[in-house]
Amino acid sequence: MEAASLPAALELAASGGAGLSPEKRGALGASLPLLQRDYRFERVWFWGCIQGVRGAYYITEGLGPDRAAPRSRLYSLNCVEWSLLPPVTEKMVAQAEQLKGRFEGDPSFEYAYPEINAQDAEREFEGGKEHVIKEEARLVATIEQIDRAVGIIPRGAFVKTPLGSVQENRNFEGLSLTEAKKLTSYFHFTEPVNLKNKTLLEKADLDPSTDFLDSLEHDIPQGSWAVQLEKGGTVVVLRSLLWLGLTFYHVPMTKQYGYIYFGTGEKNLDLPFML
Amino acid sequence: RGHGPYQPHEPGYGLYQPGYSPYDDQIPDPKSRTLAIQNAKAYLLKSSTTSGLNLYDHLANMLTKILDEQPKNAVDIIENISKDVKWAHFQKKMDTLRDEHENLTTFEAAEKRKALFLKANGDGDEELEEGTGETRLPNVMETAFYFEQAGIGLSKDESYHIFLALKKLVSVQGIQTCRFWGKILGLEMNYIIAEVQHHEEEVEEEAEEEEVVEEGGKGMGEVEDEDEEKEKEDEPPKSTYKPPPVIPKEENGTGANKYVYFVCNEPGKPWVKLPPVTPAQIVCARKIKKFFTGRLDAPVVSFPPFPGNEANYLRAQIARISAGTQISPIGFYQFAEEEDEEEDSGGGRDTYEENPDFLPLSVAEMVDSLSTWVHHGKSILKQGRCVWFNPFQKSEEEGEEEENEEEEKEEPDEPQQEIGPPLLTPLSEDEGIQNIPAWTAQPSTNLIPQYAVAILQSNRWPGAYAFASGKKFDNIYFGWGHKYSPENHTPALPPPVQAEYPSGPEITETRDPTVEEELAFKAAKEEASAAAEEEKEEEEEEEEEEVEDNEEEED
């Protein structure tokens, strides 16, 4: 969520029971603008908090002029001092998917990493190296996975300019209440996968400036989003069931929206059994 | 005159201006210019065939809007402004209709929440004033404040609404103690849960109601038995399957049913009482993992089949969470001093009371070691109850009626009595999961230690929190209602197929004998009969002669 609107946004997203203490809120209000100044970000989004066993990580993302470009991610243990995380590679994501269990809470902790298959084991045997993955790498890989899988925005909030870069849509006034209840009005804010597979008929209805992303309609498994109207319909809250702890809120007919993650950073692989 | 009109591919295109061309010697005719202007305007006023708009009006509206609003960098967003103007053209007509239709639910919900804020008139106020000395209503806002120091809790609005809803609950039902237990999230709606302890008189009334219901059920059973006896002749063989004995649920007010729980979907909606939990439900709830939908009457489709609907599943999960995560600082509760301490062999001490001499420990001590906290929720045994129940004691009494004494002796040995950890055990005895401790303790702030609050988070039941600060403490739960397991959930396998019939020598198939075995058997038989034949040879010869004679005569 936008760092500027953090206090109001936290109130709206707090129906899951997770939030920030006044101390952290104050610290964020002071340190996030400084982050923006130091790293020359155009936008600073407070991404959320991953609970480790011994401590918690507070994550922020910084965006540049193209909002769809890879983002810089920073973490902090106390919301005051921030450290930049290394950029994500596919290898990191693949390795992190192997790990199970909670985060430790110590950024320099190293996980003993099990081999994938016999080929890798042979290679490592020859090299004589042990597979370890640091908690920082696991952290950034998890954040990337969560953003890719369940980072969502309302339809029309971002537009693609003819040059290809993605900007915020200044004319976005919010979804209407009926639109806000439908899953088709929300997009994954990541590289689209299903867009090319749509039939020509469907493509004809799309507006290339606003409909350049995948909508939530075809998420597998179906029903992995819980859509609720809180406070009698004044706030629409979407909760992901795949990554428990991700909450997206939107106040219909206003420009307020955002998502935040408060959780343990583990994928809910039991989802098909639980629905 | 001149070389025009130039086509787009010719170099002169775009440069031709009437009156300024190098090839134009004459002053252009003013009339032709006004005519050109009129032509242009007429062209702009032409209505579109598809939408009925015309460009002239559209451009005028757009420019009006731009001059009114004066947006920054208008040239960059001109296309969007144009689209907006067109959108607004259609919006206006349907404005009134849409507004009324859409916000119906919003207004209804607002009405309900407003009702919370109205004071109840009449006798309700007087009773509350007398009972304020006992403070039945918990101070939800105070608890919310302490939890907020750790970043846990709902928004202030919602907390206050819950406060008022609890007040309504207390005034409606006669309640001894009440506590905000927490919130469980669901797919369509969420649950707000209040933990309540009734007066003793009301507990007896409810028990009577339940007994009446059960007796009615038994009466039906007797009628069915009579019908069956008439048809005994044609019945297929009865199965020898004896279901495991049903373990009765605990009495209201004890064990897993110590507290009664009320739920509602949103503050303002009526509170619904959850039924008491049975051991079978707890045992089944341990094996399944399902999301709550938010409707209490929704069926729970799972394997093993859950005996009940969502209300029962919710109650079972609440019982498990309470048993596992209700904690208090050591010394706050103490055992009541009774003479008969060891009545039941495995019962242990059931009741506890507040310790008037409680001396709170400092926050640093509460956070450092887990032995400063104790469980005051009784843990649930594997059987599904808090107090062990031996199902075979009672079955002996019933056996005389059913004449099944023989079968009882064949049953396996009585299961061993299960003993759980006694009440008020410290948290340091809690098992961790793999290498994660069962609880994570933190102070709420490191910057101002003198006013910090000790916060505990459960790792076994993610979402269960407890705080302690001086003499105040509380537990709360915010979450989806499931236990944490690092391994994936594996559903229970179906039980092995039962044997259809008891296997015995008559029914079991034996191997057919091979040819050699048959020949050997035949040879052995012939040897045995050869001896007998010698004795009978003379008799047979005589019979043969008689037979031959008879045959010759017939022929």
Side-chain angles (χ1 to χ4, degrees):
Chain A
M1 57 182 59
E2 273 288 332
S5 52
L6 199 55
L10 282 173
E11 286 275 316
L12 292 169
S15 56
L20 290 177
S21 63
E23 181 194 333
K24 297 283 183 302
R25 277 189 225 184
L28 282 178
S31 60
L32 289 182
L34 294 178
L35 266 186
Q36 192 170 359
R37 173 199 73 182
D38 290 336
Y39 288 88
R40 313 239 191 285
F41 291 136
E42 284 203 10
R43 287 267 186 274
V44 176
W45 283 6
F46 179 63
W47 185 88
C49 167
I50 291 190
Q51 296 281 346
V53 175
R54 274 182 263 282
Y57 297 105
Y58 298 91
I59 317 283
T60 320
E61 287 181 337
L63 288 88
D66 182 2
R67 306 284 188 257
R71 308 174 197 162
S72 328
R73 296 180 171 108
L74 300 101
Y75 78 94
S76 160
L77 297 163
N78 54 6
C79 284
V80 180
E81 284 144 10
W82 298 86
S83 327
L84 189 63
L85 283 168
V88 190
T89 59
E90 284 303 323
K91 192 178 163 207
M92 271 199 226
V93 174
Q95 283 178 348
E97 274 190 346
Q98 308 262 319
L99 293 170
K100 281 192 196 175
R102 308 257 321 249
F103 281 84
E104 274 300 314
D106 174 18
S108 51
F109 185 79
E110 290 183 346
Y111 294 91
Y113 155 72
E115 285 94 14
I116 313 173
N117 50 18
Q119 288 178 0
D120 277 358
E122 285 174 16
R123 264 186 269 149
E124 288 312 313
F125 211 61
E126 293 165 18
K129 249 196 318 185
E130 249 197 2
H131 258 310
V132 284
I133 177 167
K134 289 184 80 175
E135 175 132 313
E136 274 188 354
R138 185 184 176 200
L139 188 64
V140 74
T142 309
I143 299 172
E144 172 72 18
Q145 276 182 302
I146 294 180
D147 271 344
R148 249 189 239 169
V150 290
I152 58 178
I153 51 164
R155 180 175 178 273
F158 285 87
V159 281
K160 199 165 193 174
T161 60
L163 300 172
S165 69
V166 174
Q167 305 277 334
E168 276 124 5
N169 183 1
R170 268 174 271 192
N171 280 339
F172 176 64
E173 286 297 333
L175 301 171
S176 64
L177 197 59
T178 38
E179 276 178 27
K181 291 188 228 172
K182 297 186 210 163
L183 282 179
T184 49
S185 331
Y186 301 100
F187 290 152
H188 289 283
F189 197 33
T190 172
E191 285 300 317
V193 172
N194 289 335
L195 213 53
K196 308 158 205 165
N197 301 340
K198 289 198 172 212
T199 64
L200 274 179
L201 268 180
E202 287 173 346
K203 278 194 204 170
D205 289 332
L206 297 180
D207 183 359
S209 60
T210 50
D211 296 310
F212 56 97
L213 300 166
D214 284 330
S215 84
L216 297 189
E217 227 183 352
H218 300 293
D219 269 3
I220 297 165
Q222 208 169 33
S224 62
W225 287 95
V227 182
Q228 286 177 4
L229 292 173
E230 301 258 331
K231 295 190 183 177
T234 44
V235 183
V236 172
V237 173
L238 265 77
R239 289 199 189 92
S240 166
L241 302 176
L242 187 59
W243 292 93
L244 287 176
L246 184 104
T247 313
F248 171 86
Y249 73 92
H250 174 51
V251 184
M253 298 316 285
T254 67
K255 291 181 91 161
Q256 298 173 39
Y257 66 88
Y259 68 85
I260 199 163
Y261 181 85
F262 280 108
T264 58
E266 287 168 296
K267 198 168 184 177
N268 181 21
L269 291 166
D270 304 330
L271 183 58
F273 293 117
M274 296 169 80
L275 283 176
Chain B
R1 274 209 261 151
H3 291 241
Y6 287 96
Q7 301 302 318
H9 62 270
E10 288 175 338
Y13 182 73
L15 300 174
Y16 179 70
Q17 307 270 359
Y20 297 95
S21 157
Y23 304 103
D24 213 326
D25 296 328
Q26 291 178 8
I27 299 169
D29 193 357
K31 273 191 191 166
S32 69
R33 185 188 263 188
T34 45
L35 187 61
I37 292 175
Q38 282 176 357
N39 281 343
K41 189 168 175 184
Y43 167 71
L44 290 177
L45 279 168
K46 225 190 322 185
S47 310
S48 149
T49 44
T50 45
S51 59
L53 307 167
N54 63 46
L55 192 55
Y56 188 87
D57 287 338
H58 182 64
L59 284 172
N61 288 339
M62 239 172 52
L63 288 173
T64 318
K65 180 173 171 150
I66 293 180
L67 290 171
D68 281 341
E69 293 180 6
Q70 307 259 346
K72 251 183 154 183
N73 298 334
V75 64
D76 291 329
I77 51 175
I78 191 82
E79 291 85 7
N80 284 334
I81 295 178
S82 162
K83 217 173 22 160
D84 263 353
V85 170
K86 283 189 184 165
W87 195 53
H89 183 83
F90 288 101
Q91 269 242 307
K92 268 194 189 152
K93 290 177 194 169
M94 297 161 64
D95 218 72
T96 47
L97 275 176
R98 241 196 235 167
D99 273 349
E100 282 197 43
H101 190 63
E102 270 184 32
N103 293 335
L104 211 53
T105 41
T106 329
F107 295 154
E108 274 179 19
E111 286 275 335
K112 281 196 196 141
R113 277 178 287 131
K114 184 179 163 187
L116 280 175
F117 286 92
L118 296 172
K119 259 193 165 176
N121 300 323
D123 301 329
D125 282 333
E126 294 177 11
E127 285 183 12
L128 276 178
E129 286 173 12
E130 290 174 8
T132 39
E134 292 182 359
T135 53
R136 299 172 182 183
L137 188 62
N139 194 345
V140 172
M141 296 313 288
E142 194 182 357
T143 318
F145 166 75
Y146 283 112
F147 275 119
E148 196 192 352
Q149 300 301 308
I152 302 153
L154 308 168
S155 60
K156 291 241 174 57
D157 272 359
E158 201 168 346
S159 299
Y160 204 80
H161 286 131
I162 292 175
F163 198 6
L164 291 173
L166 279 178
K167 172 180 167 210
K168 211 170 171 191
L169 176 67
V170 167
S171 62
V172 165
Q173 313 256 349
I175 288 169
Q176 191 178 22
T177 53
C178 171
R179 195 174 78 82
F180 175 50
W181 186 89
K183 183 173 182 183
I184 288 189
L185 304 172
L187 296 180
E188 296 166 26
M189 290 184 283
N190 306 325
Y191 290 116
I192 295 176
I193 300 158
E195 182 185 77
V196 147
Q197 205 167 16
H198 273 299
H199 283 303
E200 289 181 1
E201 302 167 347
E202 296 200 4
V203 165
E204 289 176 8
E205 285 176 8
E206 289 169 8
E208 286 175 6
E209 286 177 9
E210 289 172 7
E211 283 179 13
V212 166
V213 170
E214 285 177 8
E215 282 173 15
K218 276 188 192 167
M220 289 294 297
E222 289 172 1
V223 170
E224 288 172 1
D225 281 337
E226 291 174 2
D227 288 336
E228 283 180 6
E229 285 178 5
K230 291 174 192 168
E231 299 177 1
K232 249 188 184 174
E233 304 163 355
D234 297 343
E235 269 186 22
K238 284 196 178 167
S239 74
T240 49
Y241 168 69
K242 277 204 110 192
V246 172
I247 302 172
K249 68 177 165 87
E250 291 176 290
E251 290 291 317
N252 294 344
T254 63
N257 285 322
K258 182 165 186 186
Y259 297 103
V260 179
Y261 292 92
F262 285 85
V263 296
C264 77
N265 284 122
E266 268 190 11
K269 292 204 178 156
W271 291 91
V272 178
K273 185 169 165 183
L274 285 181
V277 67
T278 64
Q281 288 168 357
I282 291 190
V283 166
C284 191
R286 285 183 172 140
K287 297 184 190 156
I288 65 175
K289 197 172 178 187
K290 283 282 204 180
F291 278 124
F292 295 98
T293 60
R295 290 168 287 124
L296 285 173
D297 50 358
V300 178
V301 181
S302 66
F303 184 79
F306 187 76
N309 56 13
E310 181 155 316
N312 303 100
Y313 183 44
L314 180 63
R315 180 66 180 82
Q317 290 293 93
I318 293 176
R320 288 172 70 198
I321 294 175
S322 295
T325 62
Q326 299 286 315
I327 58 178
S328 55
I330 193 167
F332 191 89
Y333 288 120
Q334 68 184 10
F335 290 118
E337 293 179 359
E338 293 176 2
E339 296 176 357
D340 304 327
E341 285 185 355
E342 295 180 7
E343 284 182 359
D344 299 321
S345 48
R349 302 168 184 172
D350 270 349
T351 55
Y352 50 80
E353 60 179 21
E354 279 187 33
N355 182 355
D357 304 325
F358 171 57
L359 291 170
L361 300 167
S362 75
V363 169
E365 288 175 10
M366 302 295 295
V367 165
D368 276 338
S369 102
L370 287 177
S371 53
T372 47
W373 295 81
V374 294
H375 282 278
H376 66 259
K378 201 124 198 259
S379 64
I380 303 183
L381 305 168
K382 241 176 153 177
Q383 201 186 28
R385 290 169 52 107
C386 292
V387 173
W388 167 255
F389 173 76
N390 195 347
F392 297 107
Q393 277 176 358
K394 265 200 175 174
S395 62
E396 286 177 7
E397 297 170 3
E398 294 174 353
E400 297 169 3
E401 299 171 1
E402 294 177 353
E403 302 176 358
N404 283 334
E405 294 172 352
E406 292 181 2
E407 281 185 345
E408 274 182 34
K409 290 174 192 168
E410 291 177 1
E411 278 175 6
D413 297 331
E414 292 181 3
Q416 291 218 334
Q417 182 180 28
E418 297 168 19
I419 304 178
L423 207 56
L424 298 189
T425 46
L427 257 58
S428 39
E429 312 274 331
D430 275 359
E431 294 173 6
I433 302 178
Q434 291 183 345
N435 46 0
I436 308 172
W439 294 84
T440 303
Q442 283 172 356
S444 63
T445 164
N446 289 323
L447 299 174
I448 309 178
Q450 55 268 49
Y451 290 111
V453 177
I455 307 280
L456 250 69
Q457 300 174 17
S458 170
N459 293 326
R460 285 245 233 59
W461 291 96
Y465 303 101
F467 84 88
S469 165
K471 283 204 169 180
K472 296 199 204 300
F473 82 96
D474 206 349
N475 302 285
I476 209 159
Y477 183 85
F478 291 115
W480 295 90
H482 297 115
K483 198 169 188 177
Y484 173 72
S485 79
E487 310 301 326
N488 296 341
H489 168 73
T490 37
L493 289 173
V497 180
Q498 278 186 317
E500 287 176 51
Y501 44 82
S503 55
E506 314 94 41
I507 319 176
T508 38
E509 289 184 10
T510 50
R511 255 181 48 239
D512 278 346
T514 61
V515 178
E516 292 100 1
E517 287 178 15
E518 275 190 5
L519 288 177
F521 184 67
K522 213 178 176 185
K525 203 177 171 186
E526 283 174 6
E527 285 177 10
S529 55
E533 279 182 10
E534 288 175 355
E535 295 175 1
K536 292 185 181 174
E537 263 184 346
E538 295 176 354
E539 298 175 9
E540 286 179 356
E541 283 178 15
E542 292 176 359
E543 290 177 2
E544 284 178 0
E545 287 176 351
E546 293 177 4
V547 167
E548 285 177 356
D549 291 334
N550 292 335
E551 286 180 355
E552 285 175 354
E553 292 176 1
E554 289 174 1
D555 290 338

